[in-house]
Amino acid sequence: MKYTQRLEDLRKDRDLTQEQLAFALGLKREQYRRYETGINEIKAGFIIKICEFYNISADYLLGFTNEAKPLPKK
């Protein structure tokens, strides 16, 4: 599964709009939309933010696994 589809699915599963999620992450909606649609490549800083927000591993977000494991506790 491509990460862009996973981004969209995660957002929709939580009944969030792009605008709500962008606000929660400190982004503009257009910036988030470009990540979700694949117009802009996601950067490491965004991967960290989105994984922390959803409490998921980067492996899941990037499609290396279909198991949405939570992040390890610090």
Side-chain angles (χ1 to χ4, degrees), residues 36-69:
E36 191 175 283
T37 59
I39 293 171
N40 288 356
E41 289 285 323
I42 59 175
K43 296 180 181 179
F46 177 75
I47 293 171
I48 292 167
K49 276 185 177 185
I50 204 83
C51 288
E52 288 176 339
F53 181 83
Y54 289 125
N55 191 33
I56 57 166
S57 71
D59 286 345
Y60 178 75
L61 176 64
L62 299 173
F64 293 115
T65 183
N66 288 325
E67 189 177 342
K69 291 183 180 180

Side-chain angles (χ1 to χ4, degrees), residues 1-71:
M1 173 179 281
K2 194 171 178 183
Y3 74 84
T4 54
Q5 185 62 53
R6 184 124 313 149
L7 281 173
E8 182 179 0
D9 291 346
L10 285 164
R11 178 180 58 77
K12 287 183 175 181
D13 286 347
R14 286 156 180 85
D15 295 322
L16 295 169
T17 64
Q18 287 181 344
E19 188 168 349
Q20 291 168 324
L21 184 56
F23 179 80
L25 297 173
L27 305 171
K28 294 183 179 182
R29 188 194 73 73
E30 181 61 21
Q31 185 179 11
Y32 176 79
R33 185 190 70 79
R34 288 173 179 251
Y35 288 140
E36 191 175 283
T37 59
I39 293 171
N40 288 356
E41 289 285 323
I42 59 175
K43 296 180 181 179
F46 177 75
I47 293 171
I48 292 167
K49 276 185 177 185
I50 204 83
C51 288
E52 288 176 339
F53 181 83
Y54 289 125
N55 191 33
I56 57 166
S57 71
D59 286 345
Y60 178 75
L61 176 64
L62 299 173
F64 293 115
T65 183
N66 288 325
E67 189 177 342
K69 291 183 180 180
L71 294 171

